[in-house]
Amino acid sequence: MRELDGISSMAELRAEIDALDARLVAGLAARARLIDRAIALKPAEGLPARIDARVEDVVAKVRARAMAEGLEADLVETLWRQIIDWSIKREEAVLGKGEGA
């Protein structure tokens, strides 16, 4: 990402935002592929789709990262809980619903 002082027009700013949005979508697609790999690995380890302790660990890590970046942790938690819920539903579609470990 360019230094903000180097952006001198709204057109340049919008181009930077569009580029960042593309990277965010690519990151979410990469996360979805990792979830698909989890679907393949969890049965062999006897793991359910939802593991409550893991959910809370992921949320704690992203909240800490948000705070370190000066971003509102509550917003990040809300977004991540939606991403996590979507991911678990993706897993449950294949693995079925199991008890949260």
Side-chain angles (χ1 to χ4, degrees):
M1 189 164 101
R2 290 171 47 186
E3 285 295 318
L4 295 179
D5 290 343
I7 299 172
S8 59
S9 72
M10 284 304 298
E12 289 175 328
L13 179 64
R14 288 179 180 140
E16 287 293 317
I17 290 171
D18 291 347
L20 177 57
D21 287 347
R23 292 191 302 273
L24 289 169
V25 170
L28 289 171
R31 193 181 199 287
R33 289 189 294 275
L34 292 170
I35 295 305
D36 290 345
R37 185 65 184 143
I39 292 168
L41 295 173
K42 281 185 173 183
E45 297 188 25
L47 296 172
R50 175 179 288 279
I51 302 170
D52 293 331
R54 174 63 180 155
V55 169
E56 296 312 313
D57 180 55
V58 170
V59 169
K61 287 176 183 174
V62 298
R63 283 186 65 87
R65 183 64 188 190
M67 288 187 284
E69 293 287 341
L71 189 59
E72 186 181 332
D74 289 344
L75 169 65
V76 171
E77 178 176 346
T78 298
L79 293 170
W80 248 260
R81 286 197 184 275
Q82 288 209 331
I83 291 167
I84 291 166
D85 287 347
W86 176 85
S87 299
I88 291 168
K89 286 177 186 165
R90 187 177 178 97
E91 290 182 24
E92 287 176 343
V94 176
L95 301 175
K97 292 186 178 186
E99 292 183 35

